[in-house]
Amino acid sequence: MPVPRVADTFKGAVSRVTIGATAEEGGTRTTTVTVGGASNVVYGGEPGKLGEKPVIAIDVPDSAPQDWSDALAAQYKDVFDDPAAWAKKAVDEYGADLICLKFDGIHPDKGDLGADHAVKVTKDVLAAVGVPLILWGSGNDAKDNQVMPKVSEAAKGENCLIGTVTEDNYKSLTAIALADSHKIITEAPLDINIGKQVNILVSDMGYPLENIVTFQSTGALGYGIEYTYSIQERQRLATLGGDKMMAMPSVVDVGSEAWRAKEAKSDAPEWGPAEARGPMWEAATAIVLLQSGTDIIRLRHPKAVATVKNFIKEMW
Amino acid sequence: MALTGLQIFKMLPKSNCKKCGKPTCLAFAMALAQKKANLDECPTVSDEARTALAEASSPPIRMVKFGTGDSQVQIGQETVMFRHDEKFYNPTVIAVNVSDSLTGDALKSRLEQINELQFERVGTHIQVNAVAVVNDSGSADSFAACVEAVSQGSSLAMILLSESADALSAATAKVAGVTPLIGYATADSAEAVAKVAKENKCPVIAAGADLETLADLTEKIKAAGVEDIVMAIQKTALKDQLHTLSEARALALKKTFRPLGYPTISLAVQGSPDEQAAEAISLLCKYSSVVVIETAEKYAVLPILTAIMNIYTDPQKPVQVEAKIYPIGEPGDDAPVLLTTNFSLTYYTVESDVEASRVPSYIMVVDTEGTSVLTAYSGDKLNEKVVGEALKKHNVADLVKHKKLVIPGYVAVMSGKVEEETGWEVIVGPRESSMLPKFLQEAV
């Protein structure tokens, strides 16, 4: 029986963003990463409409993390105090497409380390690996404004993805990202209107829309993931409808959120063995979010990385 | 697709007899279109019109039930592509497979494993809802024997899967009383399998490699007198499976293409438990009404069931936690008492940060109808009276020997009124939950 066609005609598509610069492009990266490009809803239309393959960024803390659960920390115990070795391990052994250098250690309550430290770690990690870098601040506005511009400068020419900028704190980082030609992450607290607003604010400063990656905040599986899921779906639909202020690829922070969940970290044998449960919860969180349309996934546990990579390989 | 008032009007008697209570047939048609009237109110409508209207008003994706009693499950009758457009109604059913090559103790222990796939999380019971018996043996007798044994060893709803109509016939007869979902009806076996389904009054799975084949099949099965159909899209690659599921859903909802207006069933039985969980999650998010898995590992099944729980929540209604006192760690009578609201996201965030502080504490959750702290305060759902009543209701004064209550920094403004109303000393906590570990370790 002939079946009618569902021919959706969409005006817009997710913009393509390339991260990293090789020697020819003025950087020192050996690979670059391009994300975005989807021109339909997830699994809508032909498989080609899915756009570029989503990529995995493995978290590398700028200093030994204080609050990682044992099952997770054990995977990195030989590199716990050494971000450069950590990054190398994440790329060589676990297959990271990018490194997300997370500057928790500069937060006033988590070490209060200074700009010298942050700059040194950035340079060390750039020297240790050839993949592109995400440079992600601490979330403390005052400290990030003080330190992240120096981090940006230290990575000038490398075409990093730097963030995050928020509705209340975007000026200094946007200006420096513009000056140093980095891509930028705009962050919103699970609120699609604020998500759009911060994109507008950043673009009003002359920052190109096609260099933005959005971060809508991430809820873990079981802990609010449905909010992230629906915002991501709405973002994609707005994009397809032609809204240029929403047509960016997105990043999700799965690693830190998933490992906060009881199901991932607590000693609860009735839920299965802890060493399998944590990475499964992390992978499952990532898989759910992939169904809603996302482009860069921050992960931590190598087993979760393997599961998600395998899924992406099947789908793209 | 719903009919317009004018389309309905054309099928009415046009006698303006007023027996329905409306002044004209046109007015009645308009009321019908808005679902404010029922066709039964018209005493003179023709049978043809009745059939046509019933057809037009039936849901674009049929609801199908299988299993009996407490184990009955219902699937289908979805109305939207995206949960934020309305909501997803009938949660995906997870089935674990059982091979009919298992007998005796091996079968018994497999069933025990499956029966244990039940979890309590955040106050809700979630579980695997079905067992899928697979005719691996190729023998009708073994299949029938295994199906019978499964029905005795598990109370879950049953799915019977075989390529052979004879095997399905033998097995279904054994368990017709519990209304199993049976399949597969393929292009070759459709008549024979539909006959088994009709005789035993159970729903049937139509299986085809593409939507054209499936549309033919469902029509054929319907013509044979079976309307409760579930579709299996038989694609080898997960990618093709997911794209075809999306297309089928879109055709049913956007084109009201009835031959594909049925719920769906998919398999995620290959690979490691982690890989199966990943496949099952993608299938349940993107439109599979039943997903059959092979793994019975709790660590892999729990996230699958949790994903269903999350995706099928009503997006219009904020998810709430129970308003009560939650002990974190093992708090003693000197433990701090922290106030927050019953919006689940708010509570989970606070809970997780209190846990991270490693300071044993009590969290007192008040009912703010699922709103966050600031929203609740602005809407007067969080005020001194609400706090006072909660302190009394939960006998907090008996739990701790102090009378100090930590309130969220965002509602510092209500400190005075709370102290006045309750007689408790108010300590203003941080604005952001993420600052709680530092706050608890230092201040309390």
Side-chain angles (χ1 to χ4, degrees):
Chain A
M1 178 187 301
V3 166
R5 296 265 77 88
V6 192
D8 291 311
T9 45
F10 294 120
K11 281 182 276 183
V14 179
S15 57
R16 278 191 166 78
V17 175
T18 297
I19 305 159
T22 59
E24 298 91 79
E25 294 152 343
T28 62
R29 304 298 84 204
T30 52
T31 56
T32 63
V33 154
T34 300
V35 292
S39 54
N40 206 317
V41 296
V42 179
Y43 312 139
E46 306 91 68
K49 308 271 184 184
L50 276 172
E52 302 288 342
K53 188 169 72 128
V55 294
I56 291 168
I58 294 185
D59 283 355
V60 174
D62 67 331
S63 53
Q66 310 293 322
D67 53 354
W68 283 31
S69 72
D70 297 343
L72 182 56
Q75 308 301 318
Y76 297 98
K77 62 175 188 294
D78 50 333
V79 295
F80 223 54
D81 288 315
D82 186 344
W86 187 314
K88 199 163 161 38
K89 188 182 180 89
V91 175
D92 295 349
E93 291 178 36
Y94 303 154
D97 299 308
L98 303 92
I99 289 299
C100 178
L101 192 46
K102 180 74 174 82
F103 291 96
D104 277 342
I106 66 172
H107 195 288
D109 298 333
K110 298 177 189 165
D112 207 13
L113 296 165
D116 293 349
H117 151 83
V119 165
K120 180 177 184 309
V121 170
T122 306
K123 287 184 171 161
D124 289 350
V125 171
L126 279 168
V129 296
V131 301
L133 256 54
I134 303 175
L135 305 166
W136 198 303
S138 69
N140 179 285
D141 289 352
K143 199 62 192 290
D144 284 351
N145 289 343
Q146 189 191 327
V147 174
M148 292 310 285
K150 302 215 166 69
V151 168
S152 167
E153 207 186 327
K156 187 167 184 171
E158 299 288 1
N159 189 23
C160 297
L161 177 60
I162 193 166
T164 60
V165 298
T166 62
E167 189 186 23
D168 302 322
N169 186 51
Y170 62 94
K171 287 187 179 147
S172 52
L173 201 53
T174 303
I176 197 82
L178 198 54
D180 295 336
S181 308
H182 293 308
K183 304 299 192 305
I184 211 166
I185 304 168
T186 57
E187 175 178 353
L190 288 177
D191 183 321
I192 196 163
N193 298 316
I194 297 178
K196 182 166 174 170
Q197 177 64 14
V198 62
N199 291 340
I200 293 171
L201 292 170
V202 167
S203 93
D204 282 351
M205 285 182 67
Y207 192 87
L209 285 171
E210 60 275 15
N211 288 354
I212 296 175
V213 171
T214 60
F215 175 55
Q216 304 286 6
S217 297
T218 303
L221 179 61
Y223 299 89
I225 199 169
E226 64 272 27
Y227 293 90
T228 312
Y229 188 93
S230 284
I231 286 177
Q232 301 251 151
E233 287 197 325
R234 289 171 66 197
Q235 178 175 356
R236 175 67 60 86
L237 289 166
T239 300
L240 298 174
D243 188 343
K244 293 258 182 283
M245 290 295 168
M246 294 300 280
M248 298 84 183
S250 69
V251 56
V252 288
D253 176 12
V254 168
S256 71
E257 291 302 325
W259 283 93
R260 283 158 60 111
K262 267 206 248 353
E263 289 82 350
K265 66 182 183 190
S266 61
D267 180 29
E270 71 274 17
W271 286 341
E275 67 276 11
R277 208 169 350 108
M280 180 77 257
W281 203 260
E282 187 182 4
T285 300
I287 301 291
V288 170
L289 293 173
L290 275 170
Q291 313 313 310
S292 66
T294 193
D295 302 276
I296 305 174
I297 304 160
R298 281 178 54 193
L299 290 174
R300 290 183 174 175
H301 198 290
K303 199 164 166 227
V305 172
T307 305
V308 177
K309 272 183 107 82
N310 180 63
F311 180 82
I312 292 171
K313 203 175 95 197
E314 275 190 77
M315 295 307 301
W316 270 264
Chain B
M1 193 117 355
L3 294 180
T4 65
L6 278 176
Q7 284 168 322
I8 297 172
F9 174 66
K10 289 180 190 150
M11 290 185 246
L12 294 179
K14 304 192 189 77
S15 58
N16 297 336
C17 72
K18 301 187 177 63
K19 284 180 189 154
C20 63
K22 297 283 184 303
T24 60
C25 286
L26 181 60
F28 182 57
M30 293 301 176
L32 277 176
Q34 293 165 16
K35 300 202 165 36
K36 285 178 182 164
N38 189 326
L39 191 61
D40 294 336
E41 291 162 37
C42 174
T44 52
V45 68
S46 71
D47 285 346
E48 287 146 40
R50 192 183 292 279
T51 315
L53 286 169
E55 176 87 350
S57 63
S58 68
I61 297 176
R62 189 177 172 85
M63 184 198 280
V64 173
K65 299 179 181 182
F66 61 100
T68 47
D70 291 343
S71 304
Q72 189 182 62
V73 291
Q74 62 182 46
I75 51 177
Q77 211 173 68
E78 298 300 339
T79 55
V80 289
M81 299 294 291
F82 301 102
R83 59 186 292 282
H84 64 259
D85 282 338
E86 191 172 314
K87 70 176 211 170
F88 291 170
Y89 284 91
N90 291 304
T92 299
V93 168
I94 298 297
V96 181
N97 69 8
V98 169
S99 168
D100 74 344
S101 57
L102 292 181
T103 53
D105 286 347
L107 176 60
K108 210 175 136 203
S109 79
R110 176 76 175 158
L111 286 177
E112 275 166 13
Q113 231 185 341
I114 295 170
N115 289 338
E116 274 173 27
L117 295 172
Q118 311 199 13
F119 307 88
E120 291 292 329
R121 71 171 298 281
V122 297
T124 308
H125 180 86
I126 48 178
Q127 66 172 79
V128 158
N129 283 111
V131 180
V133 188
V134 187
N135 184 203
D136 290 329
S137 69
S139 145
D141 292 343
S142 304
F143 189 49
C146 183
V147 163
E148 192 173 18
V150 169
S151 77
Q152 287 155 2
S154 168
S155 60
L156 299 176
M158 293 180 72
I159 303 171
L160 315 186
L161 299 176
S162 175
E163 306 293 332
S164 149
D166 291 340
L168 285 171
S169 173
T172 308
K174 301 272 188 198
V175 292
V178 299
T179 323
L181 168 63
I182 68 166
Y184 301 102
T186 60
D188 295 333
S189 66
E191 274 96 2
V193 175
K195 187 162 164 276
V196 176
K198 190 166 188 218
E199 281 168 6
N200 294 285
K201 297 194 177 58
C202 60
V204 68
I205 302 168
D210 53 59
L211 295 180
E212 287 76 13
T213 311
L214 272 169
D216 283 333
L217 261 179
T218 59
E219 290 293 284
K220 208 188 248 182
I221 293 167
K222 201 175 158 195
V226 179
E227 295 202 65
D228 287 334
I229 303 169
V230 177
M231 303 188 296
I233 298 161
Q234 293 181 315
K235 297 277 188 195
T236 328
L238 179 66
K239 176 164 52 174
D240 300 331
Q241 173 86 358
L242 286 164
H243 275 93
T244 314
L245 278 165
S246 277
E247 197 183 348
R249 173 95 152 216
L251 282 165
L253 295 182
K254 295 180 186 165
K255 302 276 177 191
T256 325
F257 186 63
R258 302 230 172 245
L260 295 175
Y262 299 96
T264 53
I265 181 169
S266 310
L267 305 182
V269 294
Q270 305 289 332
S272 68
D274 298 60
E275 285 163 6
Q276 289 181 37
E279 285 200 16
I281 286 171
S282 62
L283 288 163
L284 72 90
C285 286
K286 293 295 172 180
Y287 316 134
S288 199
S289 322
V290 180
V291 178
V292 181
I293 56 175
E294 182 274 329
T295 180
E297 290 287 348
K298 290 189 163 182
Y299 84 84
V301 174
L302 178 60
I304 299 174
L305 298 175
T306 306
I308 296 171
M309 199 177 168
N310 290 163
I311 297 301
Y312 279 83
T313 53
D314 186 345
Q316 321 297 335
K317 279 194 204 135
V319 187
Q320 305 181 10
V321 296
E322 194 187 339
K324 62 172 192 181
I325 292 273
Y326 293 83
I328 307 297
E330 285 171 12
D333 58 8
D334 56 349
V337 180
L338 297 98
L339 170 76
T340 194
T341 74
N342 73 334
F343 177 38
S344 64
L345 276 189
T346 303
Y347 173 72
Y348 294 142
T349 312
V350 172
E351 183 198 46
S352 157
D353 289 319
V354 172
E355 271 178 1
S357 77
R358 301 208 172 91
V359 178
S361 311
Y362 287 104
I363 303 176
M364 183 172 82
V365 171
V366 294
D367 182 2
T368 57
E369 295 164 33
T371 53
S372 62
V373 170
L374 269 181
T375 314
Y377 179 75
S378 329
D380 205 27
K381 286 170 192 149
L382 177 59
N383 55 36
E384 66 281 4
K385 294 229 160 40
V386 171
V387 176
E389 278 161 22
L391 283 168
K392 265 188 223 135
K393 187 175 162 200
H394 306 305
N395 298 315
V396 186
D398 299 339
L399 281 179
V400 291
K401 63 184 180 198
H402 60 79
K403 287 188 92 179
K404 292 178 192 161
L405 179 68
V406 181
I407 69 168
Y410 275 114
V411 289
V413 56
M414 67 187 256
S415 306
K417 282 188 173 171
V418 170
E419 290 194 334
E420 218 169 275
E421 171 82 19
T422 65
W424 281 57
E425 180 191 337
V426 166
I427 300 169
V428 176
R431 288 180 156 224
E432 295 297 338
S433 172
S434 59
M435 291 293 106
L436 273 172
K438 186 177 156 74
F439 172 83
L440 286 170
Q441 281 156 11
E442 288 170 5
V444 182

